[in-house]
Amino acid sequence: MERASGLSNAPASTRRFHMGSSSAWLISKILAAQLSNAKRNLETVRERMREMPPDEVRQVREIIRPVHDKALDAENANLFTRGRLRRAAEKTAVERSALLKQAAPWLEDTRIPVTYGEVNTFSANADKTTMVHVLMPYERRIAELETRLAKAKESEAGNVRRGTEPEHNPVKNRKDFKAAFNVTLNKNLEKANTDPERKTPQTRR
């Protein structure tokens, strides 16, 4: 019993085209949905970061804060105590810089400065770099999906182009095959009957 599906009556090359085109289309749809979800996740994380800094940022700030406080004390101290407080800030900066290097390897420079103004600038830059670090996996995921989706669309377009190119005697189903066969047969019979050089086969004796 013949199946009702049109593809079941199509030749193997046509079936492969339809299957390949459908598969490429489905992959593109899945990747597009994944990309949309990835972008929403990134925006959600950004909104949360605007409301509250992520754990990594708070951890970096906690490491830097003792140096910041001691640098502020030295900044506001009189001439008699400023040197002592500055040395205390330097000692704390060395200790905290070593801790920061272990806790935040994504920071290129973990040497915490001593003066109050420099500590503030260092802390602000550390915040920005840490936020970039937190968002990087989400952005990398989006870039990966965009690349895969672009390749899938190229594959889908390639399948469509290959499937629409004219073929020699294209046959899509059995009815088309029979019709094409009858047309070719009639043309050959007509040519044979009208060919003046056609030789009549000799009858066997």
Side-chain angles (χ1 to χ4, degrees), residues 35-157:
L35 178 59
S36 179
N37 289 335
K39 289 182 177 180
R40 283 196 296 268
N41 290 339
L42 175 60
E43 185 58 31
T44 299
V45 172
R46 284 176 173 169
E47 290 179 358
R48 291 176 179 174
M49 289 175 62
R50 285 191 287 266
E51 296 175 358
M52 178 180 296
D55 293 340
E56 293 84 348
V57 172
R58 292 199 297 269
Q59 182 180 10
V60 169
R61 289 178 179 176
E62 287 298 321
I63 294 174
I64 299 174
R65 180 169 288 112
V67 183
H68 175 274
D69 294 342
K70 290 183 179 297
L72 179 60
D73 291 341
E75 183 78 12
N76 296 329
N78 56 44
L79 295 176
F80 299 100
T81 60
R82 181 171 299 173
R84 177 176 57 82
L85 294 175
R86 178 66 60 82
R87 288 190 295 272
E90 290 174 351
K91 180 181 178 181
T92 303
V94 172
E95 296 172 352
R96 289 286 165 162
S97 294
L99 181 59
L100 184 62
K101 185 176 182 179
Q102 295 178 355
W106 56 84
L107 296 177
E108 294 183 0
D109 186 7
T110 56
R111 294 172 299 178
I112 305 174
V114 176
T115 63
Y116 178 72
E118 291 176 342
V119 173
N120 281 338
T121 301
F122 179 88
S123 181
N125 291 335
D127 279 1
K128 294 178 182 179
T129 303
T130 302
M131 288 182 180
V132 170
H133 168 74
V134 172
L135 295 176
M136 187 176 297
Y138 300 93
E139 294 177 342
R140 186 184 296 116
R141 174 63 173 169
I142 290 175
E144 175 190 355
L145 288 172
E146 287 176 342
T147 300
R148 292 174 58 189
L149 180 58
K151 291 182 179 179
K153 288 185 176 180
E154 288 179 1
S155 177
E156 181 182 356

Side-chain angles (χ1 to χ4, degrees), residues 169-171 174-186:
N169 289 333
V171 179
R174 293 182 180 180
K175 291 183 179 180
D176 289 344
F177 173 78
K178 291 180 180 180
F181 177 80
N182 290 332
V183 171
T184 303
L185 178 61
N186 292 333

Side-chain angles (χ1 to χ4, degrees), residues 161-170:
R161 287 193 297 269
R162 287 192 296 272
T164 55
E165 287 178 355
E167 300 178 358
H168 180 65
N169 289 333

